[in-house]
């Protein structure tokens, strides 16, 4: 513990320039005598820290003292801080002290370059906590249990060994070994309820290679052509490759793309309301027409 306290003390002195022994004692929850012994240990190690007694006194570092940092170039320092900031997004309190210390050491004040909130707009603290549970379970190799709702609304209880958190197609997934199915599966995070981390540990490791190329997530795809109104431009460029988009003279768009051939595609097309029209294939156009007619009957 002493070496950690000594290192922390040096960084505090870098930040504050001067601090009293009483303040350091309160911060580290030790006696002032211990703090003065630490000052002596730092001095003996060649770090120019000294104590000034009397009014206005305190513990300080020699002016212009800088820890040797030439082992890393300027670019390497920036890249290291950027990487740590990215880790800080996922790991929070565990990484923040290291990030703060290195930013001070490298004399960089602009390390805070990214912020991520995993919840959707309007999401509450319980939803954000879901990602903390998933992260901890993956890192600590503990099983998790939850209620899961399928695309058709069927609820099942699942226990899995979580291996990885992934983002694809504007959705988050947790990838892991499902004990009830005895196979690796993807679970859409937004469909998970009553999530809890269990005390049951597991030793399973993540398979090599990109997991989204595995057959569990794949489905046959269809090539479709949509005409979409100009009012939906904000969605079109978010959701389709620009090479698949043709803009018409009236401001509308024609989009040619490939999408999974399952129940999801109907909901996706209908999410555009009356702003989208299926041009091809004909069978999908007829299927969407029937769904709209059936929906209209509910309002007659």
């Amino acid at each position: 513990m002493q070496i950690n306290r000594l290192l922390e003390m040096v960084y505090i002195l870098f930040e504050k320039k001067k601090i009293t022994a009483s303040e350091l004692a309160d911060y580290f929850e030790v006696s002032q005598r211990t703090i003065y012994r630490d000052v002596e240990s730092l001095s003996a190690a060649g770090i120019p820290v000294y104590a000034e007694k009397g009014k206005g006194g305190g513990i300080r570092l020699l002016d212009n003292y800088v820890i040797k940092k030439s082992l890393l170039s300027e670019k390497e320092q920036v890249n290291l801080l950027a990487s740590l900031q990215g880790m800080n997004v996922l790991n929070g309190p565990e990484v923040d002290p290291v990030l703060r210390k290195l930013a001070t050491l490298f004399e960089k004040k602009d390390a805070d370059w990214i912020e991520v909130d995993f919840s959707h707009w309007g999401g509450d603290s319980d939803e954000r906590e879901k990602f903390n549970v998933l992260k901890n379970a993956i890192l600590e190799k503990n099983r998790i249990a939850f209620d899961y709702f399928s695309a058709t609304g069927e609820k099942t209880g699942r226990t899995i060994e979580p291996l990885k958190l992934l983002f694809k197609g504007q959705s988050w997934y947790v990838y892991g070994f499902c004990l009830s199915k005895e196979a690796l599966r993807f679970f859409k995070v937004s469909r998970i309820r009553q999530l809890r981390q269990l005390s049951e540990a597991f030793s399973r490791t993540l398979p090599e290679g990109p997991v989204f190329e595995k057959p569990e997530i794949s489905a046959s795809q269809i090539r479709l052509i949509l005409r979409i109104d100009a009012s939906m431009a904000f969605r079109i460029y978010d959701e389709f490759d620009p090479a698949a988009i043709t803009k018409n003279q009236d401001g509308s768009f024609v989009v040619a793309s490939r999408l999974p051939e399952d129940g999801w595609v109907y909901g996706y097309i209908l999410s555009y309301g009356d702003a989208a029209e299926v041009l091809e294939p004909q069978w999908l156009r007829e299927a969407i027409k029937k769904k709209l007619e059936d929906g209209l009957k509910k309002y007659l």
Side-chain angles (χ1 to χ4, degrees), residues 5-175:
R5 186 172 67 246
L6 294 175
L7 179 62
E8 180 79 3
M9 186 183 297
V10 171
Y11 285 106
I12 289 174
L13 292 172
F14 266 116
E15 288 183 324
K16 295 184 175 294
K17 305 303 180 185
K18 183 178 70 173
I19 189 170
T20 67
S22 175
E23 290 173 322
L24 285 173
D26 290 342
Y27 179 83
F28 290 113
E29 298 181 348
V30 296
S31 67
Q32 292 189 44
R33 179 175 296 180
T34 297
I35 294 299
Y36 284 119
R37 283 201 297 266
D38 287 345
V39 170
E40 293 175 359
S41 297
L42 289 170
S43 296
I47 298 176
V49 57
Y50 62 98
E52 295 176 330
K53 295 184 178 180
K55 186 177 180 179
I59 298 170
R60 67 169 70 233
L61 282 169
L62 187 68
D63 291 343
N64 301 321
Y65 174 71
V66 179
I67 292 179
K68 184 178 180 182
K69 53 192 179 184
S70 58
L71 292 176
L72 294 177
S73 67
E74 181 75 13
K75 183 177 180 180
E76 288 172 331
Q77 293 174 24
V78 171
N79 288 341
L80 177 58
L81 290 175
S83 297
L84 282 173
Q85 181 62 28
M87 290 175 61
N88 194 38
V89 165
L90 296 174
N91 295 283
E94 294 92 334
V95 175
D96 187 66
V98 179
L99 178 65
R100 178 174 57 84
K101 292 173 185 177
L102 286 178
T104 300
L105 172 61
F106 297 151
E107 299 174 342
K108 300 286 189 297
K109 297 183 179 180
D110 54 354
D112 190 12
W113 68 279
I114 184 172
E115 182 172 340
V116 173
D117 186 342
F118 289 110
S119 62
H120 58 72
W121 292 106
D124 56 21
S125 58
D126 290 340
E127 185 179 354
R128 290 190 289 271
E129 180 60 23
K130 185 188 296 183
F131 286 89
N132 288 330
V133 173
L134 291 171
K135 179 201 73 173
N136 291 334
I138 291 170
L139 295 178
E140 296 170 10
K141 286 190 170 295
N142 284 136
R143 290 174 175 171
I144 55 175
F146 52 86
D147 293 334
Y148 191 69
F149 290 83
S150 69
T152 59
E154 180 185 2
K155 184 177 80 170
T156 56
R158 299 295 184 100
T159 299
I160 74 167
E161 297 175 350
L163 300 174
K164 197 170 189 178
L165 193 62
L166 311 104
F167 185 83
K168 185 177 179 67
Q170 303 182 26
S171 297
W172 283 100
Y173 298 85
V174 59
Y175 179 65

Side-chain angles (χ1 to χ4, degrees), residues 213-243:
E213 292 183 359
K214 298 185 181 299
E216 293 88 350
I217 198 70
S218 63
S220 59
Q221 295 191 335
I222 55 173
R223 184 179 185 277
L224 73 161
I225 300 177
L226 302 173
R227 181 188 291 119
I228 303 176
D229 291 353
S231 61
M232 289 290 159
F234 70 97
R235 280 189 61 178
I236 295 171
Y237 287 100
D238 278 347
E239 299 171 9
F240 294 99
D241 188 320

